[in-house]
Amino acid sequence: ISYRTKSAGRGTVKAHGGFNANNDAEVLFKAMKGLGTDEDAILQLLIARSNAQRQEIKAAFKTLHGNDLVDNLKSELGGKFESLIVALMTPPIMYDVTCLRDAIKGAGTDEKGLIEILASRLPNEVNEIKSLYKREHNDDLEKDVTGDTGGNFSRMLVVLLQVRKDLIQSDAQALLAAGEQKYGTDEGQFITILGNRSNAHLRRVFEEYRKLSGYEIEESIQRETSGTLQEVLLAVVKCARSVPGYFAESLYNAMKGAGTDDQKLIRIMVSRSEVDMMDIRAEFRKRFATSLHKTIQGDTSGDYRKALLLLCGGDDA
């Protein structure tokens, strides 16, 4: 279930030492029993458990009370806080599948959601996402993506869903020939190379590219492409350079200016809480001269804020 614990140690949410699923199930049951709900007890408990442990609590709750814990939580909670708690209760791969399904099948297409997930997940994660998507929805994720997006943007997403190859011989020359040295742009080359290589390989390609052309690859992408294709290519480049850096920037953008993109905020805080939240916080501090903690504090309120700050795990003032 918890495929992302591989980079364990860099998350803010850890497995709880003296874990007892039955005890936790009882605490949650009491928090929801009778009049009123003890939101604080719910968020303090769930955020202090790993996702795998939350799945055990869910099973214990069902055995002890005959009810689905998530259904009970939904009926007791509301708004953004409810969305956040339900997200925390979802196994990681399933959470990605749900987010992708919503991005495709919701009103309009959430291109940014598709980009964020497909550009940042590891190849083995993408394979698990594809097979679970098929099992859950009896649909082919690639087909759904192409049915809902168009043109080169669609082509790039499909390439990100394929198995990535490592051609160590220089891709830099091919990128240069496809963009800066060409009248017009061969987007196909950008899609093939950026969508089809590992992050470690791409970092070497970007270095080589800078030597050959005198440009950073980002500058060329901005000049040579536009729209959603440009967005997904830049996301892939950012993730190749630093996945935590990419998420730090995404979180900053979700909260800066008027209004907050709560969907994005919840998605990133939940999906990275056991993976690399510590690194995301460090990158955030480095790039934006303030801490992720302070930014969340200034931008959210209530139990929702309390839960997000616990997921953040600390202030890097």
Side-chain angles (χ1 to χ4, degrees):
I1 282 170
S2 53
Y3 69 97
R4 284 204 196 121
T5 42
K6 280 189 298 298
S7 45
R10 303 308 303 157
T12 45
V13 171
K14 310 258 191 266
H16 180 62
F19 176 63
N20 180 317
N22 288 351
N23 291 356
D24 285 353
E26 286 310 309
V27 171
L28 291 171
F29 181 73
K30 286 200 183 81
M32 293 186 281
K33 209 173 71 175
L35 283 172
T37 304
D38 187 349
E39 282 92 354
D40 197 56
I42 293 170
L43 71 92
Q44 296 284 353
L45 186 138
L46 290 178
I47 293 173
R49 305 292 182 269
S50 68
N51 192 287
Q53 289 177 332
R54 290 180 210 129
Q55 304 315 316
E56 290 184 50
I57 298 170
K58 188 179 164 175
F61 194 91
K62 182 87 175 154
T63 307
L64 293 167
H65 299 290
N67 290 344
D68 184 294
L69 174 57
V70 177
D71 288 346
N72 279 31
L73 287 165
K74 279 182 180 167
S75 68
E76 296 290 330
L77 310 174
K80 297 180 281 202
F81 181 58
E82 179 192 330
S83 305
L84 178 61
I85 294 296
V86 170
L88 285 168
M89 287 302 304
T90 313
I93 287 277
M94 179 60 92
Y95 184 56
D96 280 349
V97 166
T98 308
C99 290
L100 286 168
R101 185 74 174 178
D102 292 348
I104 294 166
K105 298 290 178 192
T109 307
D110 174 12
E111 282 100 352
K112 287 181 171 41
L114 290 176
I115 289 170
E116 180 199 299
I117 294 171
L118 296 181
S120 66
R121 301 301 187 251
L122 297 165
N124 61 315
E125 295 169 358
V126 172
N127 288 336
E128 289 181 55
I129 288 168
K130 284 197 303 198
S131 52
L132 184 59
Y133 190 95
K134 181 97 182 133
R135 279 208 307 279
E136 283 297 307
H137 302 294
N138 204 16
D139 279 332
D140 184 310
L141 180 55
E142 269 176 50
K143 280 208 182 81
D144 278 358
V145 164
T146 46
D148 211 47
T149 57
N152 284 318
F153 174 56
S154 183
R155 277 173 70 192
M156 181 63 183
L157 294 178
V158 168
V159 171
L160 288 172
L161 286 166
Q162 314 287 332
V163 180
R164 302 199 186 170
K165 302 179 189 66
D166 252 335
L167 304 169
I168 295 302
Q169 86 262 27
S170 186
D171 289 323
Q173 191 60 62
L175 286 170
L176 193 56
E180 299 287 357
Q181 291 176 348
K182 188 176 165 53
Y183 181 73
T185 308
D186 176 1
E187 283 101 352
Q189 252 328 355
F190 278 83
I191 290 169
T192 303
I193 293 171
L194 294 179
N196 228 342
R197 309 288 188 263
S198 71
N199 286 349
H201 176 75
L202 283 176
R203 284 194 292 274
R204 294 201 296 274
V205 172
F206 300 157
E207 218 168 296
E208 189 59 28
Y209 185 86
R210 194 179 60 234
K211 283 182 202 150
L212 282 173
S213 68
Y215 301 122
E216 291 295 356
I217 186 71
E218 290 91 334
E219 298 174 75
S220 294
I221 290 172
Q222 274 158 340
R223 265 200 297 274
E224 299 289 333
T225 62
S226 62
T228 47
L229 174 65
Q230 182 182 94
E231 276 182 55
V232 68
L233 291 175
L234 287 174
V236 168
V237 170
K238 282 171 189 165
C239 287
R241 292 201 189 277
S242 161
V243 170
Y246 169 68
F247 283 119
E249 199 174 302
S250 299
L251 284 167
Y252 179 78
N253 290 333
M255 291 184 279
K256 76 166 202 246
T260 304
D261 184 343
D262 291 294
Q263 209 182 355
K264 180 187 277 196
L265 187 54
I266 291 171
R267 196 168 56 219
I268 299 174
M269 295 303 292
V270 169
S271 66
R272 309 314 286 185
S273 61
E274 289 182 55
V275 190
D276 50 7
M277 188 54 71
M278 305 290 281
D279 300 327
I280 292 170
R281 273 168 43 189
E283 282 293 331
F284 196 98
R285 184 79 192 79
K286 207 162 73 190
R287 292 174 187 217
F288 305 113
T290 182
S291 67
L292 177 57
H293 197 276
K294 281 197 179 55
T295 309
I296 291 171
Q297 212 160 10
D299 224 58
T300 56
S301 61
D303 293 313
Y304 177 55
R305 167 163 67 188
K306 207 183 283 182
L308 287 171
L309 290 175
L310 281 175
L311 287 173
C312 177
D315 192 356
D316 315 278

